[in-house]
Amino acid sequence: MKSRIRTITAFTTVVVASTTMVACSSETSPRAEPAIGFQHTHGLGYDSKTGIVFAATHTGVWELPTDRLPSSFGSGSLVSTPNDAPVLIEDRQQDTMGFFVTDTGTLLGSGHPDPADPTAPANLGLITSDDAAKTWTPVSLSGEVDFHDIAATTAASGALRVYGYDATRATILISDDNGTTWSDGAALELRDMTTDPSNPDRIYATTATGLQVSDDVARTFTPVADAPALVLIDATDTGYVGIDTAGAIWINDGAGWVQGATITGSPQALGYVGGSEPWLLISDDRGVVATADFGATTVPLMEVP
């Protein structure tokens, strides 16, 4: 990847993925009132199958309003929420740490259960949902692992390869059978990671010492020369987009890093959505916004009071 910084020319297309998590509420247990705000966003994503924009947060998985977005966003397939307001899905307040939306619309998640479900394990392991986060199914590592980040791609075998960041051990785990069994990858303290859509063996990770890349299924990592000090990263069809420690948005389409606008406050989550007019989902101190021009103009989807 070349590192020559150049002038912004155009937005490139991308496929975005997201995840989710699991927890069933108990009918006999008292339920806390749904949180009004997100408190903290761990992941963002758009499912082209349903037209839903998701935010995975400390207080559950939310469906975000899309009424304010131009018709070009989501190729006209976006779903509106009641009263143009965020909706906490099923009123389930699980702490959704890892979140990923696959190309088929399956949500992958991890984290901690809804406080109203005292029978659920403290660490949810890998969970999946095929009905837009209404219900969740435990897949593996229940009670053992709390993935703080999840990325997935299709392996050469045709199965879903899942990368999960086990924050307790600061280690990347890899599954080549849809998340059923796992092996250890590199020990690496990371903030965010993304796969290469054209190479399932390649994965990028943002770290305190800079952007790192692995070409051997997350077993070993090396620094990416001259990359910005990214905190968040996501893949595009032709490269990568990220946000650095100062809040600047960057994109690399294979010919060098391009700097865009600067977000407001601290970056929390980033999602890149493909289509005829690609756009970004960004969570920062404003709440959650969408932008099709690297942050020069934004559309609020959820505003912090």
Side-chain angles (χ1 to χ4, degrees):
M1 188 185 317
K2 297 180 181 178
S3 58
R4 180 170 55 88
I5 296 177
R6 58 191 182 84
T7 306
I8 295 177
T9 54
F11 222 34
T12 56
T13 52
V14 66
V15 176
V16 74
S18 329
T19 45
T20 120
M21 48 182 306
V22 113
C24 295
S25 61
S26 169
E27 294 182 0
T28 58
S29 300
R31 173 175 292 282
E33 289 297 318
I36 295 175
F38 291 174
Q39 296 189 18
H40 184 82
T41 305
H42 299 304
L44 296 166
Y46 167 68
D47 177 15
S48 62
K49 304 292 184 182
T50 62
I52 295 175
V53 175
F54 295 100
T57 78
H58 183 68
T59 54
V61 179
W62 297 68
E63 181 178 341
L64 299 189
T66 59
D67 304 67
R68 306 175 192 176
L69 293 176
S71 59
S72 58
F73 280 42
S75 301
S77 62
L78 292 165
V79 173
S80 298
T81 60
N83 303 316
D84 189 23
V87 173
L88 179 59
I89 299 174
E90 296 297 302
D91 287 339
R92 186 181 296 116
Q93 297 180 55
Q94 75 236 356
D95 184 6
T96 310
M97 300 294 296
F99 186 79
F100 190 88
V101 181
T102 70
D103 291 341
T104 62
T106 295
L107 306 182
L108 309 178
S110 190
H112 312 291
D114 187 327
D117 186 4
T119 64
N123 295 323
L124 294 172
L126 179 69
I127 60 180
T128 65
S129 175
D130 289 316
D131 58 5
K134 292 181 177 64
T135 63
W136 295 90
T137 301
V139 177
S140 59
L141 304 177
S142 180
E144 301 178 39
V145 172
D146 160 28
F147 287 127
H148 279 208
D149 197 15
I150 298 172
T153 187
T154 302
S157 65
L160 187 69
R161 172 178 290 166
V162 185
Y163 294 92
Y165 178 58
D166 180 356
T168 302
R169 297 194 296 135
T171 299
I172 299 175
L173 305 186
I174 307 103
S175 172
D176 275 329
D177 56 6
N178 306 303
T180 302
T181 61
W182 300 83
S183 60
D184 281 359
L188 186 73
E189 293 190 2
L190 61 85
R191 172 61 179 84
D192 199 13
M193 62 182 178
T194 191
T195 60
D196 183 338
S198 65
N199 182 356
D201 293 348
R202 179 177 296 143
I203 185 167
Y204 288 83
T206 64
T207 74
T209 57
L211 184 63
Q212 305 261 337
V213 63
S214 171
D215 286 316
D216 58 3
V217 197
R219 262 68 187 189
T220 61
F221 281 81
T222 58
V224 178
D226 301 324
L230 299 180
V231 177
L232 302 176
I233 188 170
D234 206 350
T236 74
D237 282 346
T238 58
Y240 303 89
V241 63
I243 301 176
D244 69 16
T245 53
I249 300 170
W250 294 85
I251 193 165
N252 190 323
D253 62 5
W257 292 100
V258 180
Q259 185 173 353
T262 300
I263 66 167
T264 300
S266 301
Q268 295 184 15
L270 170 68
Y272 195 57
V273 182
S276 56
E277 294 190 25
W279 44 290
L280 291 175
L281 288 162
I282 298 171
S283 177
D284 59 21
D285 290 359
R286 293 167 292 185
V288 179
V289 301
T291 177
D293 54 13
F294 294 105
T297 60
T298 60
V299 179
L301 302 185
M302 191 289 295
E303 298 172 80
V304 173

